[in-house]
Structure formats: structure tokens, C-alpha cells
Amino acid sequence: MIIRITAITKKCFKYAAILLGVYLIYAFVFGVVVFRFLTPAATDYLEQQAVDRFWEESVSKDRVALLEGRYESGLARINLIENAEESLDIAYFSIHDGMAANIFFSSIIEAAERGVEVRILLDGIFHNMRFDLKDVAYALHLHPNIELKIYEPIDLLRPWTWNNRLHDKLIIVDENLAMIGGRNIGDEYFVKEDSDAATNDRDVVIVNVDVVAAVDRDSAIIEMKTYYDQVWNHEFSEHMVTKLSTGQQRKGEAKILELKQFLGELEEANPEMFDHSVDWVAESFPTNNVTFIHNPLERFNKEPWVWYELTNLAGAAAESVFVQSPYIIPTKKMMEILDEAGVTVQPEAVNVLTNSLGSTPNVFAYAGHKRHRKPMVDAGLNVYEYHGPGSLHAKTLMVDDRLSAVGTFNLDARSAFLSTESMVVIDSAEFTEHLKNEIEYIMGQSLKVADDYSYLNEELEKLEAENADEDSVAAVTVREATMLKRLMIGILSLFSYLFEHLL
């Protein structure tokens, strides 16, 4: 009898292993391989969206404020939530447990308590509302003024859905304020002190100075809200929690009380963090035009709307182009689109800022980036790599010292063809000059990659040429990567080409 049971058990394990193997092959083919060969369905999007629509000569009703500092951008989020009167629409890729998440959620509950209608939309896989944050999801579900949805949750039977990720980062307050940028919600994005663990990013706040006119779609905020509604109501989005058990309800109620107590104690200890008097008009710059752009909502490979727009903007440049991205991984398809845009500025007028091997926290993406580092330098581009504290996570394009694009788009195939992405294109010489000054500070902590792929210290070279005192200027120190990090990236880079379409 025992022998028979053992034989049956072995047979069950055998069939289970076969089924698992078949499933893994199925998942690999439809979750990885097909994306390398599928071509996005072409539409007349480009014909309908002329590049000259980004420029205007009259003053827009939208003003724009830049949020560069980590701590300041955290305070700005508190202020926006505090100032919401009717509605608060929020979208994020990822929430990381910690102080920032506690402040974020407790402020949202406080807004809902005073009658603000809150909608929160998170990515269906990378939302991180698990473990310690699971009770927060219960708490949000319990509040009558809060709705919580996730976009494209994990579906084990349809692996092609795994790459359709929500990468937007938006906060829309009523119809007069909106924030967009690259920051997720996590302590590393808002920490005040510099450290190697800090993440340096960029947000902008759009200020509509004429809310009545916004109804007539004069404001980019209305474009953002329309897009948010589209994603919110899409079949890919569903409520994270639909029903709570008695135990889950108790946990949710306890979490609400805990977050309220947390916020009260924090306000008492740090009253300066909760200042309602931010004058966003005074903090912002006038614009001629602000245009909101985004990718379509599709599974498999999307038509690359945002990449179309950014390459066409680069193609319209007459003097200079600046690009900042955490990593640069342009696939063959992306380069074909760039070539079609007909960029005419000379390579020496193109500046690229990205992470160095020492500063990058993303070994998988950097392994893909490594293949393109030499070709960019060989093409004559000015490539700068960051060696300061923390890492770079901002995504920005500047054209001719007048036009700026800020948002969530990384220069890679995932942003071009797979994820939801959004940016604002800002026509404002004043804002772009301010942004340029902030970026120059980052460039001062970066090193230019020389023709032989080593680093130049341009400030010291300039001083040497002028026979000045070298000691009067501090050289930028190369930030070395650990041996383990170098080894991992080196090995991954050997195979990165095979998976470049997913990086």
C-alpha cells in the first residue's frame, strides 16, 4: 500500500513538473518573445498632431513651477493635497512603505474627511500595497470619499498583460493645480539629506490662473483630467478591494485611526511642513503654452505616441537639444523613428545627461545602457554621467532654450512601446532658463565622457588652459562601483540585447 501511494505521489510530481515546464515556456513566449517581433498598429496620430502646436506666441493661462529639491517636492505634495476643495485625482507607479507613504496617505484621508472626492490609481503589479501597506488599502476602501483602483493587475493566464504597466505620476487638484514628474512615493525621493541612497528627480506643478477658461480646454490640466478619466474608466483598471472580511474591516478602521494620530503628531512636531499659504502663482513662471502628451492604452506593443512627439521636437530644434534620462537604451525601432524625425542640429549641440556606473541603482537597465554608451560618444554627442550623491531619475528634454518636456518617459523601449507614459511640453523661455540653471548644478556633479570613453573634468581643463589656480576649483571625483556591481552589469550586458525591448 505504501509503495503504491509513493508511486502515485511520484507520478503526480512528474505531471506537475511537466505542467510547470509547459507554463514557463508559454509565459516566456507570450510574456517576453512576442514583444520583440510584434509591430504596433499604425494610426494617423502623427498626421493629426502637428509639431508646431507646441509653440504659441500669446501668453497661456497655465503657469508652471519647477520642483527640483527632494524635500521641497515632498512638501509640495502635502500642500496640493491640503488645498484640494472638491476633487483629488492621483496616479502612481509605485508606493514604498515608510515615512513618505504615511504622510501621503494620512494627508489623503484628512482631505477625504473634509469632503474632497479622492480617486487613487496605482499600477497593478508594482503598487506595493502589500504587507504593511495592505491595511492602508483596507482603510482607503472603507472611506466613502475615496476610491482605489489598480491598472492591469497580475494575470497568470495572460502573460502578455504583464508588460502593460501604469508608469504615470500625476496629482490633479480640482481644475486649477496639477503635478507631473518622475517621482514615485518613497522616502528616497524626498529625503532632505544627501546620500548614495537618495533619488534625485524632477516635478512640475501646472497652475491654471483662470479656472473658468479651463472648461473651454484652454488648460493642460483639463487634458490631464480627461486622460485620467480615460485610464480610470478603462477595462484595464479595477478596484483593488471589492469586499472586506470582518477582520480586514477591523484592520482598516484601526489603520485610519493610526494614520490620523500620526498626522496630528507630525503637524504638532513639524508645523512648518503643513503651510497652506504657498502662492503657486508667485512660485511659477508664465508660459506661452503647456501641452499634455501621453501613450495610448493598449496591450502588446503600443504605437509610441510620446516618442513620436519627443523625436519631432528634437527634429524641430534649430540650435540645441538637451536630454536627461536615468539610462539611454534606444532600440533599432526607436532609432528608426528618430531618423524619420530629421534632426538637423549638429551632434556637438546635443547634450545628454544620465547616470554613471557608480550612481545607477538599476543594474538591469544599465546593462542595456552600456551597449549604447560608446555609440553615443562616437556619434559626437556630449555625454555627461552623474557622479554626485544619490542617483538621477528625472526625465527631461529641452529644445533651443525655449521648450521643455518633463514627465515619466525614460529613453528606452519600455517607455516607448509598453507602459503608459505622460509628459508636459512647456513653451516658456523663462521656465526653460530656470530649468537650465538647475540642471547646470547637476552637470557640475557630472563628468563628460571623452572620445576614448574615459572622463574629462572640463572645469579643471579650462583653468589649466587659462593658467589659473587648479586648487581653486574642486574636481568632480569619479564615483566607483563595487566589484559585485561591475560583475553583475558586465554579465547582464552580454545578454541585454536579447531583452532590450523590455528594459
Side-chain angles (χ1 to χ4, degrees):
M1 185 70 177
I2 296 174
I3 296 174
R4 184 179 177 187
I5 293 174
T6 303
I8 293 173
T9 302
K10 288 181 178 180
K11 188 174 290 188
C12 288
F13 275 119
K14 179 181 178 181
Y15 288 140
I18 292 172
L19 287 174
L20 178 60
V22 171
Y23 174 77
L24 291 176
I25 294 172
Y26 166 73
F28 181 73
V29 170
F30 289 98
V32 177
V33 177
V34 295
F35 288 89
R36 186 172 183 85
F37 301 102
L38 285 177
T39 301
T43 68
D44 59 353
Y45 177 84
L46 275 178
E47 287 71 22
Q48 293 182 354
Q49 307 294 335
V51 69
D52 58 7
R53 79 185 192 282
F54 293 114
W55 285 268
E56 293 288 349
E57 297 306 324
S58 58
V59 177
S60 167
K61 293 178 175 64
D62 285 337
R63 296 173 65 89
V64 178
L66 177 65
L67 295 171
E68 196 77 6
R70 295 185 300 271
Y71 185 68
E72 290 72 22
S73 70
L75 296 183
R77 281 165 172 78
I78 296 173
N79 182 268
L80 291 180
I81 296 171
E82 284 182 328
N83 280 284
E85 297 180 356
E86 297 179 359
S87 65
L88 190 58
D89 293 333
I90 297 170
Y92 274 99
F93 174 68
S94 184
I95 309 284
H96 303 284
D97 190 23
M99 176 68 77
N102 288 339
I103 295 173
F104 185 67
F105 287 122
S106 60
S107 298
I108 287 172
I109 289 175
E110 191 276 333
E113 291 282 284
R114 62 175 190 270
V116 178
E117 296 290 334
V118 182
R119 295 187 294 179
I120 304 172
L121 181 61
L122 304 175
D123 179 71
I125 293 180
F126 296 99
H127 53 75
N128 288 329
M129 299 294 285
R130 307 175 183 93
F131 307 110
D132 291 341
L133 288 179
K134 201 166 189 177
D135 291 352
V136 176
Y138 303 153
L140 298 176
H141 175 76
L142 283 172
H143 203 288
N145 289 337
I146 301 176
E147 283 190 87
L148 173 63
K149 281 189 174 184
I150 52 176
Y151 177 88
E152 199 75 280
I154 188 71
D155 185 341
L156 295 178
L157 297 180
R158 296 187 293 178
W160 53 89
T161 66
W162 302 348
N163 287 310
N164 182 25
R165 306 282 28 102
L166 179 99
H167 200 232
D168 303 305
K169 289 102 175 176
L170 302 170
I171 299 178
I172 307 171
V173 180
D174 303 324
E175 291 182 344
N176 61 330
L177 290 168
M179 175 186 288
I180 182 172
R183 289 182 173 94
N184 294 297
I185 302 299
D187 292 349
E188 64 270 29
Y189 293 92
F190 308 112
V191 63
K192 184 183 290 187
E193 297 79 15
D194 284 335
S195 73
D196 287 346
T199 301
N200 302 300
D201 214 314
R202 181 170 298 122
D203 301 302
V204 295
V205 172
I206 303 163
V207 186
N208 174 26
V209 296
D210 190 344
V211 178
V212 175
V215 178
D216 297 324
R217 295 184 176 274
D218 283 351
S219 172
I221 295 176
I222 297 302
E223 298 174 3
M224 296 168 73
K225 198 170 182 70
T226 299
Y227 170 72
Y228 188 95
D229 288 342
Q230 180 187 1
V231 184
W232 179 267
N233 295 316
H234 201 279
E235 63 176 324
F236 298 161
S237 300
E238 60 184 59
H239 286 93
M240 177 178 282
V241 180
T242 56
K243 189 177 181 181
L244 295 179
S245 66
T246 302
Q248 290 170 337
Q249 184 165 335
R250 283 199 299 266
K251 289 180 179 180
E253 290 169 348
K255 180 57 70 171
I256 289 177
L257 294 176
E258 179 186 324
L259 289 173
K260 285 182 178 179
Q261 181 179 352
F262 166 81
L263 187 64
E265 293 174 353
L266 188 66
E267 287 178 340
E268 184 176 347
N270 302 275
E272 74 284 353
M273 293 175 62
F274 303 88
D275 181 5
H276 298 264
S277 62
V278 175
D279 186 344
W280 285 110
V281 173
E283 294 290 330
S284 59
F285 294 87
T287 70
N288 293 339
N289 192 27
V290 180
T291 309
F292 178 71
I293 59 176
H294 62 83
N295 273 347
L297 302 180
E298 298 174 9
R299 289 174 176 148
F300 293 105
N301 286 342
K302 299 172 172 62
E303 187 176 22
W305 288 0
V306 175
W307 183 238
Y308 282 161
E309 303 283 21
L310 297 181
T311 54
N312 282 344
L313 286 170
E319 298 175 358
S320 64
V321 174
F322 170 85
V323 177
Q324 180 180 348
S325 179
Y327 31 81
I328 315 289
I329 315 175
T331 61
K332 182 180 178 181
K333 290 180 181 178
M334 293 176 69
M335 292 304 297
E336 289 172 354
I337 294 170
L338 179 61
D339 291 341
E340 290 174 5
V343 179
T344 58
V345 294
Q346 296 301 307
E348 58 267 21
V350 178
N351 291 327
V352 177
L353 175 62
T354 188
N355 280 302
S356 63
L357 177 63
S359 69
T360 183
N362 191 333
V363 294
F364 294 100
Y366 198 88
H369 165 82
K370 185 179 178 182
R371 291 186 59 251
H372 300 280
R373 185 176 184 262
K374 291 183 178 181
M376 285 192 294
V377 174
D378 293 342
L381 307 183
N382 300 309
V383 179
Y384 293 86
E385 295 183 344
Y386 179 71
H387 290 269
S391 61
L392 299 184
H393 194 251
K395 312 92 167 50
T396 297
L397 172 75
M398 286 195 299
V399 174
D400 290 347
D401 295 334
R402 173 170 170 175
L403 212 76
S404 306
V406 178
T408 67
F409 189 94
N410 295 312
L411 214 160
D412 61 16
R414 178 161 292 279
S415 284
F417 301 106
L418 299 178
S419 299
T420 70
E421 302 288 354
S422 50
M423 301 190 84
V424 284
V425 182
I426 304 158
D427 177 15
S428 171
E430 293 176 70
F431 173 83
T432 301
E433 181 181 4
H434 178 62
L435 174 59
K436 186 177 180 181
N437 290 337
E438 292 291 338
I439 288 173
E440 284 180 354
Y441 174 77
I442 303 173
M443 299 282 273
Q445 298 175 295
S446 307
L447 292 172
K448 184 179 180 180
V449 182
D451 292 342
D452 63 356
Y453 319 117
S454 64
Y455 287 122
L456 295 174
N457 191 318
E458 291 186 320
E459 290 298 325
L460 287 180
E461 288 190 348
K462 183 178 178 181
L463 289 173
E464 286 176 350
E466 296 173 353
N467 295 319
D469 180 9
E470 294 181 25
D471 295 333
S472 64
V473 173
V476 178
T477 303
V478 174
R479 188 168 159 187
E480 299 292 349
T482 64
M483 183 64 70
L484 176 61
K485 188 177 185 181
R486 288 178 177 275
L487 181 63
M488 289 178 63
I489 289 176
I491 294 173
L492 289 171
S493 66
L494 298 176
F495 307 98
S496 64
Y497 176 75
L498 298 174
F499 305 98
E500 196 170 65
H501 58 293
L502 299 178
L503 294 177

